[in-house]
């Protein structure tokens, strides 16, 4: 990886993504992942942002990511209105669709889980749990490269939190379109 002035160059965002996915996939089979995920869940539930939010957006996680399914179940049992991404890949747009039961989840055309029932679509959220692969100390993130979350955050105002593992912290150049999250909850993995 090429580094200049201690920062990862823009050309190396792809390499940084690959490195973080590799680390996340390796951690996904480790014994400490469930306890790290549990720590992140409990820490989120004790934030004032979570406690005051009525409408929360969160992704349906992939196996190498922080497991959001127990978080979603807890949110539903806490009488929160939970929304997950509904992506229009052709238009490169993302909205959020209400999930009232995890049994209403299934794969889309790309094999990515989404809500399969006919429920409300809304971008009016109080709190958004923002995913990503790499984060810096200021809350800027590198995602999977589609730009969906940066675009959403540019146009919608709500509290933002990311749940991450300590090895996802890194230093990289910020681009003009990048949108930071307001808070990071970090699980120690060592």
């Amino acid at each position: 990886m090429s580094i200049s002035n201690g920062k990862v160059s823009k050309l190396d965002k792809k390499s940084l993504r690959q490195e973080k996915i590799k680390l996340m996939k390796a951690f996904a089979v480790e014994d400490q992942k469930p306890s790290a995920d549990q720590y992140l869940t409990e820490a989120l539930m004790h934030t004032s942002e979570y406690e005051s939010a009525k409408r929360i957006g969160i992704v349906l996680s992939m196996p190498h990511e922080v497991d959001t399914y127990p978080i979603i179940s807890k949110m539903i049992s806490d009488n929160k209105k939970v929304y997950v991404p509904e992506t229009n890949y052709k238009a490169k747009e993302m909205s959020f669709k209400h999930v009232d039961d995890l049994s209403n989840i299934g794969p889309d055309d790309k094999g990515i889980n989404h809500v399969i029932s006919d429920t409300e679509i809304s971008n009016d959220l109080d709190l958004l749990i923002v995913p990503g692969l790499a984060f810096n100390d200021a809350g800027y993130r590198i995602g999977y490269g589609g730009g969906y979350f940066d675009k959403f955050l540019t146009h919608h105002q709500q509290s933002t939190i990311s749940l991450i593992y300590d090895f996802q912290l890194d230093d990289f150049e910020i681009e003009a379109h990048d949108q930071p999250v307001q808070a990071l909850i970090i699980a120690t993995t060592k």
Side-chain angles (χ1 to χ4, degrees):
M1 182 170 8
S2 94
I3 297 179
S4 60
N5 300 329
K7 303 245 182 203
V8 177
S9 72
K10 292 177 192 175
L11 297 175
D12 283 330
K13 276 192 171 182
K14 182 178 179 182
S15 297
L16 188 58
R17 279 187 188 100
Q18 291 171 341
E19 174 192 326
K20 297 303 178 182
I21 289 172
K22 184 178 177 182
L23 288 170
M24 291 168 76
K25 285 183 175 181
F27 187 65
V29 298
E30 294 289 326
D31 292 340
Q32 60 267 52
K33 183 181 187 302
S35 60
D37 289 356
Q38 181 64 32
Y39 167 81
L40 292 168
T41 300
E42 289 175 13
L44 171 65
M45 301 300 162
H46 289 96
T47 64
S48 59
E49 293 87 353
Y50 177 80
E51 290 173 357
S52 65
K54 292 177 176 47
R55 301 166 64 86
I56 303 173
I58 188 169
V59 297
L60 295 164
S61 59
M62 293 183 275
H64 63 277
E65 298 173 318
V66 172
D67 187 358
T68 60
Y69 289 85
I71 297 171
I72 293 168
S73 291
K74 176 73 170 124
M75 289 175 175
I76 292 170
S77 73
D78 285 348
N79 294 314
K80 306 289 185 181
K81 204 159 185 190
V82 183
Y83 294 82
V84 297
E86 185 69 19
T87 307
N88 179 334
Y89 298 109
K90 289 180 185 170
K92 292 203 96 171
E93 293 179 344
M94 177 181 70
S95 292
F96 284 82
K97 193 169 184 181
H98 180 236
V99 58
D100 53 3
D101 191 305
L102 288 175
S103 66
N104 294 329
I105 302 296
D108 65 13
D109 295 343
K110 293 192 175 222
I112 297 171
N113 278 345
H114 74 133
V115 177
I116 55 175
S117 57
D118 186 22
T119 59
E120 174 193 17
I121 293 179
S122 176
N123 293 329
D124 181 23
L125 305 172
D126 301 317
L127 173 62
L128 180 57
I129 311 305
V130 182
L133 298 171
F135 295 81
N136 71 15
D137 290 332
Y140 286 93
R141 54 179 279 285
I142 295 176
Y144 289 91
Y148 291 100
F149 276 87
D150 284 326
K151 186 175 180 182
F152 185 88
L153 293 171
T154 298
H155 299 291
H156 300 91
Q157 300 299 312
Q158 66 281 304
S159 295
T160 54
I161 296 175
S162 290
L163 309 175
I164 71 170
Y165 306 120
D166 55 4
F167 58 79
Q168 290 179 266
L169 286 171
D170 216 309
D171 199 14
F172 48 86
E173 287 185 32
I174 299 163
E175 296 182 50
H177 65 271
D178 291 342
Q179 298 294 314
V181 296
Q182 295 163 338
L184 298 174
I185 300 175
I186 305 167
T188 303
T189 62
K190 298 169 184 135

